[in-house]
Amino acid sequence: MSEQDRVIVIGSGLGGLAAAIRLRARGHEVLVLEAMDQPGGRAAVFEQDGFSFDAGPTVVTASHLFDELFALVGRERRDYVQFVPVDPFYRVLFPDGSRFDYVGDEARILAQIEQFSPRDVDGYRRLAAQAREIFDIGYTELVDRPFDRFTDMLKIVPDLARLGCWRSMYEWVSRSIADERLRQVFTFQPLLIGGNPFRAPAIYALIHWLERKWGVEFALGGTTAIVQAMVRLLGELGVEVRVNAPVTEIEVEGGRATAVRTAAGERLECAAVVSNADPATVYTKLVARRHRRWNSDFLISRKKLSMGLFVGYFGADRTWPELAHHTIILGPRYRELLEDIFERKVLADDFSLYLHAPTRTDPNLAPPGCEAFYVLSPVPNTQAEGLDWDRLGEAYFAKIVDFLSEQHVPGLREHIVTRKHVTPRYFETTLRSYGGAAFGPEPRLTQSAYFRYHNTSEDVRGLYFVGAGTHPGAGMPGVLCSAKVLERVMPGPGRKGHVSLKNMRGAGR
């Protein structure tokens, strides 16, 4: 196949790698270009002083989507990377000292609700039944379908309206649950994909049933082990994943993407471009204005962005076996803190945190007898004025460590032996996320499905999008399913360029 017939994938995040596998399985010639010095994008890894820290996503749900990718080319995912269940999925801690173990088993959920608020037991049963209905429509039927036309959206409106999906997640849960702590337990999920529970539509209640149905898992070796497995598979299929190759321009001729240029000065011709990069950045930085009628700089600047993230990574020379793998530490304010982050865009004095302790499940991520952590704090993105993260970062990290040491991880401060942190500036510069938003556009009603960046560019023929910024959205299931959407919108290769699956299944073994 000639260079003019190949597909270039920009970005090697999980969405880009999944797209490359699916494209290759269909017979396309594929080249993956990654700006950073390692594959993975947000799912990169930091190795420091014998500790391994996943830079970004750690929660594996709907792991069958990975199985499906490997099966497309006759492989077994288990031969490349191992997943193990996490229990509890999350431990939620409240300022009053109470805790809730968020799990998949309904009997355990109901027993805990009984302790918190007996009157909410029946309310949870109603909530779970409705979440299952929303899942059956919003995920099972729609997650891998494109929403490039408004009529695609209209078809689902009656069912989603019947289920109350136009309400905010918090309002929807509050109709069934009265206890404020339990309302927080069942509404924090949109935050995992960049959404404010007081703005995100109740269609994201499907996350609850998705986790109930398939559980929460962790990849042994960390999320980077998934990246390495997918890169290894692509190598066996003859696909190059080229690092240190940032794309600086997508060339457009006659309204079609025909080549990309890299920072090194290379011009690489192609038949199509699949971008795993942030759509807003691609349009404003890589596609000339004269080629963009739908996605103008002005319209892009009007979109509401997800929050930013401050993430601290640290290793300690002792362990805390009592910790859960995933801990959600909720602060004294819920709605007000989220308003500070999303709307007022100010850095509050208080915070809510996600503490990841992967050595609970895989001790090999730290030296013997040690513990690896990361702590994540939602903060305003870089559209906030007056937040100099170069100046604020270290002090903010110290404040979080002091809080954890005094409240939840006794003695932590004295036992940290290595540390680093990233701020919204990392997302804006290194990851090239528009506005330093950690998850692209905020998932609110007016920015979901048809109203999100389309998988097929309206401006440039032969330009497609996968990943967190496009439909269906952020999170591992979302970005993996965005790659499935390609099969519905992107034509297959010509007969001349077809590579038989039979031949590929025998390759690399």
Side-chain angles (χ1 to χ4, degrees):
M1 182 178 291
S2 68
E3 291 182 351
Q4 293 92 336
D5 292 324
R6 71 181 163 192
V7 178
I8 290 179
V9 177
I10 301 176
S12 65
L14 295 177
L17 295 175
I21 292 169
R22 288 187 176 277
L23 290 167
R24 188 64 180 137
R26 295 180 72 193
H28 292 278
E29 188 77 13
V30 182
L31 171 64
V32 181
L33 301 177
E34 170 56 50
M36 298 199 300
D37 62 0
Q38 61 171 302
R42 286 173 174 79
V45 63
F46 300 134
E47 303 279 358
Q48 186 167 298
D49 299 326
F51 293 83
S52 180
F53 304 107
D54 279 322
T58 61
V59 179
V60 179
T61 52
S63 62
H64 67 275
L65 293 171
F66 289 107
D67 298 343
E68 186 179 273
L69 280 173
F70 284 81
L72 282 173
V73 289
R75 307 297 207 274
E76 286 282 345
R77 185 269 305 163
R78 293 170 182 80
D79 294 335
Y80 293 75
V81 60
Q82 300 295 313
F83 297 143
V84 293
V86 175
D87 187 358
F89 298 166
Y90 314 97
R91 176 162 292 158
V92 185
L93 304 181
F94 298 95
D96 65 3
S98 58
R99 83 180 197 189
F100 189 99
D101 279 357
Y102 188 94
V103 296
D105 179 68
E106 185 169 279
R108 289 172 64 189
I109 294 175
L110 292 174
Q112 293 180 89
I113 293 174
E114 177 76 29
Q115 294 295 316
F116 272 70
S117 174
R119 63 177 174 162
D120 285 329
V121 169
D122 287 339
Y124 173 76
R125 289 193 175 100
R126 290 193 302 272
L127 180 150
Q130 292 168 0
R132 183 174 187 172
E133 282 192 79
I134 293 172
F135 173 87
D136 288 341
I137 297 170
Y139 184 89
T140 306
E141 296 183 17
L142 303 175
V143 74
D144 58 357
R145 295 187 183 183
F147 279 85
D148 293 339
R149 298 173 299 181
F150 188 64
T151 51
D152 297 329
M153 186 84 171
L154 290 179
K155 294 175 185 176
I156 66 169
V157 167
D159 282 334
L160 296 182
R162 174 179 58 84
L163 294 168
C165 290
W166 51 271
R167 295 187 174 91
S168 74
M169 186 74 174
Y170 186 86
E171 181 185 359
W172 182 84
V173 167
S174 297
R175 291 167 65 86
S176 298
I177 302 293
D179 186 272
E180 176 58 27
R181 294 168 301 172
L182 294 176
R183 287 177 175 179
Q184 295 177 31
V185 165
F186 297 113
T187 60
F188 76 79
Q189 292 77 16
L191 286 164
L192 302 178
I193 56 170
N196 180 347
F198 294 91
R199 300 282 190 277
I203 191 171
Y204 293 107
L206 66 82
I207 297 173
H208 178 64
W209 195 261
L210 182 147
E211 292 174 336
R212 282 273 309 266
K213 183 179 177 68
W214 289 311
V216 169
E217 296 174 287
F218 182 71
L220 293 181
T223 305
T224 185
I226 303 176
V227 173
Q228 294 166 5
M230 296 172 81
V231 170
R232 173 186 159 196
L233 176 63
L234 285 168
E236 293 174 0
L237 301 178
V239 175
E240 179 187 1
V241 179
R242 188 179 301 176
V243 298
N244 294 312
V247 173
T248 56
E249 181 186 358
I250 297 173
E251 288 191 7
V252 180
E253 295 181 15
R256 174 175 290 278
T258 57
V260 304
R261 290 187 180 272
T262 70
E266 290 180 288
R267 181 180 182 275
L268 302 169
E269 294 188 359
C270 58
V273 174
V274 173
S275 175
N276 185 208
D278 179 23
T281 296
V282 169
Y283 281 125
T284 58
K285 301 295 186 184
L286 306 187
V287 179
R289 290 184 181 184
R290 66 182 181 275
H291 301 305
R292 294 186 279 118
R293 181 167 65 93
W294 288 89
N295 294 283
S296 66
D297 288 4
F298 173 75
L299 290 178
I300 288 171
S301 71
R302 302 294 293 173
K303 292 185 181 293
K304 295 285 189 179
L305 300 180
S306 67
M307 76 283 202
L309 294 177
F310 177 94
V311 191
Y313 307 88
F314 50 99
D317 61 5
R318 57 156 289 192
T319 64
W320 288 262
E322 69 277 11
L323 292 176
H325 186 122
H326 304 291
T327 303
I328 307 293
I329 303 171
L330 294 171
R333 302 183 306 147
Y334 192 52
R335 182 193 298 265
E336 296 82 0
L337 176 61
L338 293 172
E339 287 292 312
D340 283 347
I341 295 168
F342 283 89
E343 305 302 326
R344 290 188 285 271
K345 297 189 184 303
V346 297
L347 185 63
D349 291 330
D350 58 325
F351 36 63
S352 289
L353 304 172
Y354 161 53
L355 180 65
H356 182 230
T359 33
R360 291 278 63 68
T361 303
D362 186 356
N364 294 320
L365 298 174
C370 296
E371 192 95 86
F373 294 97
Y374 86 46
V375 62
L376 179 155
S377 176
V379 295
N381 57 47
T382 58
Q383 291 182 332
E385 296 181 1
L387 291 183
D388 180 357
W389 282 108
D390 291 338
R391 178 177 61 85
L392 295 171
E394 190 57 45
Y396 193 73
F397 195 4
K399 182 178 178 180
I400 291 174
V401 169
D402 286 346
F403 169 78
L404 291 173
S405 188
E406 293 164 9
Q407 301 289 332
H408 300 287
V409 192
L412 171 65
R413 183 174 44 232
E414 292 75 28
H415 287 276
I416 291 178
V417 293
T418 190
R419 61 193 289 170
K420 71 170 290 170
H421 67 268
V422 301
T423 74
R425 287 284 297 151
Y426 166 81
F427 288 85
E428 183 177 51
T429 56
T430 303
L431 297 179
R432 302 200 287 180
S433 295
Y434 188 86
F439 303 91
E442 180 188 338
R444 49 172 67 194
L445 187 62
T446 54
Q447 296 189 158
S448 298
Y450 171 78
F451 301 111
R452 204 164 180 83
Y453 286 108
H454 294 171
N455 303 95
T456 304
S457 173
E458 309 93 321
D459 293 309
V460 179
R461 296 193 307 278
L463 173 59
Y464 304 90
F465 290 93
V466 297
T470 189
H471 171 73
M476 285 196 199
V479 300
L480 294 176
C481 285
S482 71
K484 294 182 72 172
V485 174
L486 287 181
E487 298 181 356
R488 297 179 182 266
V489 300
M490 190 172 177
R495 291 180 61 85
K496 180 180 178 181
H498 180 68
V499 180
S500 81
L501 286 177
K502 180 179 179 181
N503 290 339
M504 281 199 297
R505 286 169 180 158
R509 288 199 162 185

